[in-house]
Amino acid sequence: RAPNAWWLDIASPTWDDMRAIGKLLHLHPLTLEDILQRDTREKLEWFPKLGYQFIVFRAMESARTRERFMQRNGMIDAYQGDEGSIGEANMYLVVFREGICTVGHLGFPKHIERVRTRVQLLQNNVLMSSDWIAHGLLDSVVDSFFPILKEIKNDVAAIETILFGNEELTETSFSVRTATSIAFRRMARMRRLVTSLTRLLASKSEIVSQIRKRYLNNGKVVRNEGVEIAMYMGDIQDHILALQQALSHYEHILSESYPAYLSRLRTIVSNTNNSSDKAVLTLSLVSFAALVPGPVIGLFSMNVHTPRNTTDNPKPSGGYYWFGIVIVLVLVVECGFAVLVRYWWVQS
């Protein structure tokens, strides 16, 4: 093996480009077909007669890269304005003994630059073989999931605060509807993001495990540096398993958040309805209580002669005990109405 491996990176190749590269590197027709057809299935294929292994690995693409690619090709971005969705792009690695060829239809400037910087820093201390470069690219792709996982962790913690916090939604109905809409959209966005990441990580562990076994050959060392590369691949596999376990945990929490939040909303709506019913009942009782003494007051307000009043003198004479009688009758009627309402309340 040459001390320093060569590295050829191809971004957004055309059919003519891949035909020329295929003739130059003696690539198998199936490899060219997978690259040109943009096969999305992650896999590892070994071509011993041609002296290379072909790795298909899916990575997250940045919004800036996708936007630039769409503008250049006059295409419409299917992920634009779609909350909770992440872009996916295929990374094709053709790993020879003497070098490596990487192909990406959208390009991977972040991963390429990261591995290239690492190569420049460690080229005097570490053998920069093609296997080491392939490991660096796969490790960079897997590590790019952790910042998003941190964002998911923070959002899940915020959702748990909304669900199990002590604060109550006591504002106006418009504020309640707005807060409810925001909470549900946040939960839906997080669930979709977790589902997308889980799907994207589904087959990575198996692919890395196959690569690791390829270097160890079921426990037998194939090359001197095979054990070291296999150890590095095992570290990538551990990262993938940790990501999958964390996403499974967050998926469980988010799946329980919907019924929990709906239950809380039912409780809030029920308490609001009870308060409204009490207010309507109180207003109705006050209205009826104001109408009850009406007949009594009207009866004693008629323009009739009473035994204690004189008709000759314009100024009434006699005692005013009829006023007291009217007041007492009104109080008796009101007390009877209150007793009747109390009886109805107890019966209900």
Side-chain angles (χ1 to χ4, degrees):
R1 175 186 295 274
N4 296 319
W6 54 265
W7 183 3
L8 175 62
D9 178 57
I10 307 173
S12 303
T14 62
W15 286 74
D16 296 333
D17 295 336
M18 289 310 303
R19 289 193 188 98
I21 294 298
K23 292 180 180 180
L24 177 64
L25 300 179
H26 303 287
L27 300 181
H28 196 277
L30 293 178
T31 302
L32 293 176
E33 181 182 357
D34 290 339
I35 295 176
L36 294 174
Q37 296 295 335
R38 302 184 183 182
D39 187 12
T40 59
R41 183 172 60 92
E42 292 183 314
K43 59 184 177 180
L44 168 65
E45 293 181 346
W46 175 248
F47 299 91
K49 293 183 178 181
L50 298 176
Y52 71 88
Q53 58 181 350
F54 179 58
I55 303 173
V56 181
F57 216 65
R58 304 190 73 185
M60 292 183 299
E61 59 183 357
S62 63
R64 183 179 302 175
T65 303
R66 167 166 286 273
E67 183 180 356
R68 184 172 62 251
F69 177 79
M70 293 298 174
Q71 291 178 354
R72 185 175 59 204
N73 293 274
M75 302 170 63
I76 300 177
D77 191 358
Y79 297 99
Q80 186 176 4
D82 198 359
E83 294 186 355
S85 61
I86 58 175
E88 303 173 4
N90 300 325
M91 176 184 289
Y92 304 97
L93 307 179
V94 183
V95 185
F96 295 89
R97 293 179 60 88
E98 299 81 11
I100 181 173
C101 176
T102 57
V103 182
H105 292 284
L106 295 180
F108 302 93
K110 180 177 65 175
H111 304 300
I112 298 297
E113 184 64 27
R114 184 181 302 172
V115 177
R116 186 173 62 181
T117 302
R118 191 182 305 175
V119 168
Q120 293 175 353
L121 292 176
L122 302 177
Q123 61 182 351
N124 296 327
N125 300 325
V126 180
L127 177 62
M128 295 301 156
S129 63
S130 58
D131 298 326
W132 193 93
I133 296 175
H135 158 264
L137 291 172
L138 300 183
D139 184 58
S140 178
V141 170
V142 173
D143 288 344
S144 64
F145 286 83
F146 284 98
I148 299 182
L149 188 67
K150 184 178 180 181
E151 178 186 352
I152 293 175
K153 178 182 178 181
N154 296 333
D155 284 353
V156 169
I159 291 174
E160 287 183 336
T161 303
I162 295 175
L163 292 177
F164 307 108
N166 296 325
E167 64 274 5
E168 296 292 338
L169 297 176
T170 56
E171 292 82 4
T172 62
S173 59
F174 177 77
S175 300
V176 173
R177 288 196 300 268
T178 303
T180 302
S181 176
I182 294 175
F184 273 116
R185 289 186 62 183
R186 195 171 190 177
M187 294 178 192
R189 176 181 176 272
M190 282 298 103
R191 290 201 66 180
R192 188 166 186 178
L193 184 58
V194 169
T195 303
S196 300
L197 292 178
T198 303
R199 184 182 66 253
L200 193 57
L201 286 170
S203 58
K204 282 183 171 50
S205 179
E206 182 180 356
I207 298 300
V208 174
S209 177
Q210 293 178 4
I211 298 174
R212 188 166 180 260
K213 290 180 180 179
R214 181 73 65 182
Y215 287 114
L216 292 178
N217 194 16
N218 295 328
K220 298 180 181 179
V221 179
V222 179
R223 296 188 295 271
N224 293 331
E225 68 275 10
V227 174
E228 185 178 1
I229 298 297
M231 181 181 64
Y232 292 153
M233 290 296 177
D235 184 65
I236 296 177
Q237 190 175 10
D238 293 340
H239 288 175
I240 294 174
L241 294 177
L243 288 169
Q244 290 176 337
Q245 291 176 359
L247 291 175
S248 177
H249 172 67
Y250 294 143
E251 172 64 25
H252 177 71
I253 294 177
L254 292 173
S255 63
E256 297 293 334
S257 62
Y258 275 99
Y261 192 67
L262 289 175
S263 177
R264 186 182 183 190
L265 288 180
R266 291 192 195 99
T267 303
I268 294 174
V269 171
S270 178
N271 294 336
T272 304
N273 291 337
N274 292 336
S275 301
S276 301
D277 294 341
K278 290 180 180 179
V280 172
L281 179 61
T282 303
L283 183 61
S284 301
L285 292 178
V286 171
S287 301
F288 281 112
L291 294 175
V292 165
V296 178
I297 297 175
L299 179 65
F300 287 93
S301 298
M302 293 188 298
N303 191 15
V304 296
H305 297 289
T306 59
R308 297 292 298 175
N309 296 116
T310 58
T311 57
D312 297 334
N313 191 355
K315 183 178 181 180
S317 60
Y320 291 94
Y321 58 88
W322 285 104
F323 182 74
I325 294 175
V326 173
I327 296 298
V328 172
L329 289 177
V330 170
L331 293 177
V332 170
V333 172
E334 291 289 354
C335 291
F337 178 73
V339 172
L340 181 63
V341 170
R342 176 65 180 175
Y343 174 76
W344 286 343
W345 181 269
V346 172
Q347 292 297 322
S348 62

